[in-house]
């Protein structure tokens, strides 16, 4: 079945790196995503990776994809207090009609000064 | 990235009334729009998927007569919560996808409180 799992909480100190992990079940997923949600707001697309890639870097964000283990991670370098938010991992299985996304439960990142 | 505007951001209504939430894609044509519901500290639950000019496809367990979705143009979709009750209180979020079907852009969400 479809299932995306994330740990619920992560706490880091400002300036450290944060690593948020995600496991997914559908090995045929073509796209995998990271979204950020600040309190009371919608979701902001941070980055996404195609399933034929192993890594994608965009400024402070690095996404690593291990297809064998169905494991996706998001690394935030030099984490700032403004990075405090909930981070959702999502997959897009190809058999879904119209690009339906399957979301994880979200990881609440707390950045302490 | 593409912008999706959602209004209102917060609405309080009395039990038994209906509430309409609007979702607009501002700088792209959203051929598909999605409506989600989110409970506190939980993930997003997909309610329905709508394609412009077609009837919405509802997820299992979502009452289509209670949550009316209209997607009359490529830039506007609406969700109407009919005869709202306190249990309908929640955070509702819309998203739209355009040419790249697998990329969804989200609105800021609407907090509905039913008294």
């Amino acid at each position: 079945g479809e299932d995306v799992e994330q740990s619920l909480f992560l706490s880091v100190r400002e300036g450290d790196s944060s690593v948020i992990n995600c496991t997914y079940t559908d090995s045929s997923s073509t796209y995998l995503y990271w979204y950020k949600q600040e309190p009371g707001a919608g979701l902001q697309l941070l980055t996404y990776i195609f399933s034929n890639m192993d890594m994608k870097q965009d400024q402070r964000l690095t996404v690593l994809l291990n297809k064998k283990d169905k494991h996706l991670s998001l690394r935030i370098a030099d984490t700032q207090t403004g990075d405090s938010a909930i981070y959702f991992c999502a997959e897009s299985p190809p058999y879904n009609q119209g690009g339906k996304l399957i979301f994880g439960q979200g990881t609440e990142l707390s950045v302490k000064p | 990235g593409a912008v999706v505007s959602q209004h209102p951001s917060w609405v309080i209504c009395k039990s038994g009334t209906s509430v309409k939430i609007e979702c607009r894609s501002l700088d792209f044509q959203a051929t598909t729009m999605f409506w989600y519901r989110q409970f506190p500290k939980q993930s997003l639950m997909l309610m329905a998927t709508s394609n412009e000019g077609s009837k919405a496809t509802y997820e299992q367990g979502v009452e289509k007569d209670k949550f009316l979705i209209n997607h009359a143009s490529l830039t506007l979709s609406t969700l109407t919560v009919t005869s709202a009750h306190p249990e309908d209180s929640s955070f509702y979020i819309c998203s739209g996808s355009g040419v790249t079907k697998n990329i969804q852009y989200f609105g800021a969400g609407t907090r509905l409180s039913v008294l």
Side-chain angles (χ1 to χ4, degrees):
Chain A
E2 306 165 343
D3 202 9
V4 178
E5 293 193 355
Q6 305 175 234
S7 52
L8 296 181
F9 300 102
L10 176 65
S11 180
V12 301
R13 291 240 173 248
E14 191 174 21
D16 289 349
S17 291
S18 308
V19 179
I20 302 171
N21 294 301
C22 170
T23 57
Y24 59 98
T25 53
D26 196 316
S27 58
S28 60
S29 286
T30 51
Y31 290 71
L32 293 140
Y33 311 80
W34 284 104
Y35 282 89
K36 175 183 180 183
Q37 185 179 35
E38 297 184 13
L43 273 66
Q44 173 194 353
L45 177 63
L46 286 178
T47 186
Y48 61 92
I49 188 167
F50 294 105
S51 58
N52 62 357
M53 297 168 66
D54 297 322
M55 186 190 85
K56 181 178 180 181
Q57 185 162 3
D58 184 4
Q59 299 183 332
R60 293 190 298 123
L61 305 179
T62 303
V63 178
L64 294 178
L65 175 60
N66 181 329
K67 288 185 288 293
K68 175 175 168 289
D69 295 337
K70 295 179 206 165
H71 183 266
L72 183 73
S73 68
L74 174 69
R75 179 177 180 269
I76 306 173
D78 187 25
T79 314
Q80 303 297 307
T81 53
D83 295 323
S84 293
I86 298 177
Y87 290 79
F88 289 95
C89 165
E91 65 171 340
S92 178
Y95 56 79
N96 276 331
Q97 297 295 320
K100 175 180 170 180
L101 297 181
I102 311 298
F103 285 91
Q105 316 95 301
T107 299
E108 183 174 351
L109 173 64
S110 173
V111 183
K112 301 191 185 314
Chain B
V3 179
V4 172
S5 173
Q6 186 173 343
H7 291 281
S9 56
W10 190 18
V11 57
I12 302 173
C13 70
K14 291 183 180 178
S15 189
T17 60
S18 294
V19 174
K20 182 185 281 190
I21 302 169
E22 287 192 353
C23 182
R24 292 181 185 272
S25 57
L26 297 186
D27 52 2
F28 71 103
Q29 293 185 324
T31 49
T32 306
M33 284 190 167
F34 304 83
W35 287 94
Y36 296 84
R37 185 172 180 175
Q38 186 180 31
F39 292 101
K41 301 288 188 181
Q42 292 190 28
S43 188
L44 279 72
M45 180 191 80
L46 180 66
M47 299 174 67
T49 302
S50 74
N51 291 297
E52 184 262 339
S54 304
K55 287 186 180 179
T57 302
Y58 289 80
E59 295 297 301
Q60 195 172 6
V62 178
E63 298 176 60
K64 60 181 69 175
D65 293 331
K66 175 136 187 91
F67 299 100
L68 300 178
I69 290 170
N70 183 282
H71 191 171
S73 79
L74 285 170
T75 58
L76 174 64
S77 177
T78 60
L79 167 68
T80 302
V81 183
T82 62
S83 187
H85 290 284
E87 57 266 29
D88 299 323
S89 298
S90 193
F91 194 57
Y92 293 88
I93 309 177
C94 71
S95 70
S97 65
V99 174
T100 309
K101 271 196 160 188
N102 292 90
I103 306 298
Q104 290 183 32
Y105 298 96
F106 284 78
T110 297
R111 182 158 305 285
L112 171 63
S113 297
V114 185
L115 304 177

